[in-house]
Amino acid sequence: MSEPLRGVPAAPGVASAPPWLPPTSGGGVLRPEVSLGEAASRAAAELAGLRTRLVTAGRPEEAEIFGAQALMAEDPELLDGAEALVAEGKPPDEAILAAGESAAETLASLDDEVLSARAADVRDVAARIARILRGEEPPRLERRSIAVALDLPPSVTAELDPALLAGIALEAGSRTAHAAILSRALGIPAVVGVPGLLAAAETATEIAVDGGAGEVYLDPDGATSEEIGRRLGEATRRAAVDAGLRDRRLQTADGHRLMLGANIGRPDEAARAIEAGAEGVGLFRTEFMFMGRATPPDEATQTAAYAKVLAEFGERPVVIRLIDLGGDKDLPYLPLPPEENPFLGVRALRLADAGHEALILTQLRAILAAGEKTGRQPWIMAPMVADLVDVYRLHELVSMAAFGKLWTVQPRVGIMVEVPSVAMIAELVAPEVAFFSIGTNDLTQYLLASDRTNPVLAARQDPLHPAVLRTIMRVIEGGHESGIPVAVCGEMAGDPVGAMALAGLDIDELSMDAGAFGAVKRAVGAVSLGELREAAHHAMHLERASEARAVFDRILAEATSPT
Ligand code: PEP
Ligand code: MG
């Protein structure tokens, strides 16, 4: 077997295909027969086409950025600036790049966050016009391929035909990178954060990715191809079995039920979650709705989005998380000041006290309005809550947003438990909120002091670590003392072994990507609650996460072996 390059598992599935590397610009030759004006019109047409494609694909929020860029491409000021440089003797491709750069610099210097963030868009548009002037093709897949890149910006990813995109392997990026999220939603296997990938892949003619294991094989040898084929067959068989489990509840072998929630990032993912058998939305990561756009969605747009999910889920609970920005999630139109340690910085709820209160109030008003419109009670959840002061601030923000109107539908207000300080005082916080949802991704990173986006530390990010298990137990007990439900919505919930451990710690709900439902139902459903409790308590006394994993693997194997 070939040795794989290891990265962060970003989207499950197995695929093997020739690599495709996004073209780097500058390879073409200037075509004198194409005028600047023609190239600009063509760029505008390409961008308008991209916009239509995304609208048709049900991704209207991402489409908007390309609509705005189509207008920029024909902006007379940009073109006049370039023509003036051509008159001075500059070649047209260099002239448009220079004019784009100067327009971008002007925008960037404005004291207006939204306009200054457009700078990157203008540069992108100018680069597109220059590419057309040089006769270079837009990035396009000719055949089924695995995209191999440092990172894939939205404008490139959106241009690729999803039917030909068999997999994604990125040298940079994290599980929450845009390309990773997109590939999960589209069901395309992806591995990100693979150190040394680009240099190693330079001469490869075939690439295999295992998005579940986080492995990339370059030019797989015979034995590896066979293994990849076996994993593919296994994944296909599993998918068929999982589809058959759709109507089965999430419960232990002796019938102890847990609620099964779906994690979604966009309103149009609700339908897939319901189809897969979700009993509610345990985490709606709303910040993804704010990404890939030129401006934040306004109150009416947000209201419509939340109302869509609330209406589709009907009686079932929908947990809408307040925008969770900062850390590794940034918005071009909301530039956050550079920080030495962004994960410990002005993140999420903390933005309310750092000049962005209006952003959060608009979102809260939209959530309340969506509840009113649909007659469904929204569950509002704040990320990055560190203590009771944050909880009181959260309630204050909800009251401010509700002020001045009579609401017939009252929200339930809860928090994510992902900062160790709030986990330590869970029993003091529980009486002040309606529910807890444990964010094991951040809780693990903060407890183990290990950056979740750093691929070198990936092996340390295991929530089966005894310190994390003990903390989770504490939070569950603290919540139950006050009679509030406690869920887990971090990736641990969608990992079969993680789900078994959580069931053994008496968690009430597991929320995950709908793609993981079947595997989690199978694992939790194989073992009795008593056995899971015993294993979870045993795991808390082990030295390492790998030993805890082995314990659960063993009881699962014993429970499912034919004997
Ligand atoms: C978490 O931290 O576990 C979580 C669910 O939130 P996110 O991954 O979006 O930070
Ligand atoms: Mg988090």
Side-chain angles (χ1 to χ4, degrees):
M1 280 260 312
S2 329
E3 254 313 293
L5 296 178
R6 291 185 200 281
V8 178
V14 183
S16 186
W20 173 87
L21 286 86
T24 44
S25 61
V29 181
L30 197 61
R31 293 161 60 199
E33 73 278 14
V34 182
S35 74
L36 243 175
E38 277 165 1
S41 311
R42 248 189 257 173
E46 277 183 17
L47 288 159
L50 213 50
R51 181 183 169 278
T52 313
R53 209 163 106 183
L54 286 173
V55 170
T56 322
R59 287 156 52 193
E61 295 94 353
E62 284 159 302
E64 199 197 294
I65 197 163
F66 300 112
Q69 280 192 321
L71 292 177
M72 281 178 198
E74 293 194 291
D75 177 9
E77 242 175 80
L78 178 70
L79 295 181
D80 289 351
E83 294 288 9
L85 293 172
V86 171
E88 284 169 19
K90 241 194 192 337
D93 56 338
E94 288 177 27
I96 188 73
L97 288 174
E101 189 52 42
S102 113
E105 276 168 17
T106 311
L107 282 172
S109 67
L110 295 178
D111 198 18
D112 177 318
E113 281 181 4
V114 173
L115 286 180
S116 64
R118 289 265 167 99
D121 293 336
V122 180
R123 285 195 187 97
D124 198 27
V125 166
R128 188 178 281 268
I129 300 175
R131 192 200 74 217
I132 293 169
L133 285 166
R134 292 177 188 141
E136 293 165 9
E137 286 299 310
R140 180 172 296 143
L141 297 176
E142 301 292 341
R143 54 178 177 174
R144 207 176 151 272
S145 313
I146 308 265
V148 178
L150 184 64
D151 204 352
L152 277 182
S155 63
V156 175
T157 324
E159 219 148 355
L160 300 178
D161 179 354
L164 293 177
L165 188 58
I168 294 176
L170 302 182
E171 178 154 333
S174 68
R175 200 188 48 78
T176 41
H178 186 96
I181 294 149
L182 200 67
S183 49
R184 274 199 292 277
L186 295 172
I188 297 171
V191 183
V192 302
V194 187
L197 173 70
L198 286 184
E202 231 165 48
T203 54
T205 55
E206 181 80 9
I207 303 243
V209 293
D210 182 337
E215 292 174 352
V216 179
Y217 295 89
L218 305 172
D219 288 324
D221 61 18
T224 309
S225 297
E226 226 170 83
E227 169 63 15
I228 291 293
R230 194 195 61 73
R231 290 188 200 176
L232 193 58
E234 177 72 5
T236 317
R237 259 193 310 283
R238 282 243 173 97
V241 175
D242 291 354
L245 293 178
R246 185 201 173 284
D247 296 323
R248 198 199 285 174
R249 301 247 179 234
L250 172 59
Q251 59 184 25
T252 58
D254 52 340
H256 171 76
R257 282 198 48 195
L258 286 86
M259 156 117 180
L260 179 65
N263 288 0
I264 63 168
R266 294 190 180 274
D268 46 29
E269 289 170 27
R272 172 176 164 254
I274 291 172
E275 179 51 36
E279 294 175 66
V281 171
L283 170 63
F284 181 176
R285 285 187 167 97
T286 57
E287 59 278 6
F288 293 143
M289 260 172 42
F290 288 65
M291 293 178 180
R293 320 171 32 108
T295 54
D298 61 16
E299 190 178 318
T301 309
Q302 287 190 56
T303 303
Y306 305 140
K308 178 173 153 59
V309 181
L310 286 171
E312 283 185 36
F313 271 87
E315 295 290 316
R316 291 165 283 188
V318 172
V319 178
I320 303 173
R321 179 172 75 179
L322 298 180
I323 186 164
D324 184 12
L325 288 173
D328 65 341
K329 292 182 223 140
D330 225 342
L331 290 180
Y333 53 82
L334 190 84
L336 302 172
E339 293 181 314
E340 288 290 330
N341 294 298
F343 272 112
L344 302 178
V346 183
R347 259 193 87 179
L349 193 63
R350 298 173 181 184
L351 289 169
D353 296 322
H356 299 292
E357 191 184 74
L359 187 79
I360 292 172
L361 287 177
T362 303
Q363 180 172 36
L364 282 167
R365 273 195 297 272
I367 299 173
L368 295 173
E372 206 65 14
K373 194 169 152 187
T374 56
R376 303 284 170 213
Q377 181 182 47
W379 293 42
I380 295 174
M381 176 163 78
M384 275 300 277
V385 168
D387 54 22
L388 274 167
V389 177
D390 284 346
V391 173
Y392 300 144
R393 177 73 168 125
L394 168 65
H395 287 304
E396 182 190 32
L397 288 165
V398 175
S399 306
M400 284 165 75
F403 185 74
K405 265 193 203 169
L406 265 183
W407 303 92
T408 53
V409 180
Q410 299 296 327
R412 296 182 82 158
V413 180
I415 60 163
M416 292 209 59
V417 178
E418 53 184 350
V419 181
S421 55
V422 86
M424 293 302 288
I425 52 168
E427 73 282 6
L428 299 181
V429 177
E432 306 298 327
V433 295
F435 62 95
F436 280 161
S437 186
I438 307 176
T440 45
N441 307 335
D442 278 316
L443 186 63
T444 306
Q445 107 163 323
Y446 292 135
L447 270 175
L448 302 180
S450 151
D451 182 343
R452 66 191 260 190
T453 63
N454 187 338
V456 178
L457 300 176
R460 288 179 172 267
Q461 318 284 341
D462 197 328
L464 274 272
H465 189 288
V468 184
L469 293 177
R470 285 170 191 231
T471 308
I472 293 173
M473 183 184 72
R474 202 187 168 108
V475 176
I476 296 173
E477 286 177 356
H480 287 174
E481 255 178 50
S482 292
I484 63 166
V486 184
V488 166
C489 63
E491 300 307 299
M492 181 184 190
D495 163 19
V497 163
M500 290 169 79
L502 292 167
L505 293 173
D506 285 301
I507 198 78
D508 302 302
E509 173 182 347
L510 297 177
S511 189
M512 65 200 78
D513 184 90
F517 284 178
V520 166
K521 283 183 189 173
R522 252 186 284 126
V524 172
V527 189
S528 72
L529 180 61
E531 271 180 284
L532 290 171
R533 280 187 178 149
E534 201 181 307
H537 286 84
H538 177 51
M540 276 188 277
H541 293 90
L542 295 172
E543 275 182 18
R544 357 168 153 235
S546 55
E547 291 168 2
R549 284 196 173 273
V551 168
F552 286 100
D553 280 340
R554 198 181 57 241
I555 61 170
L556 184 57
E558 278 167 12
T560 49
S561 74
T563 51

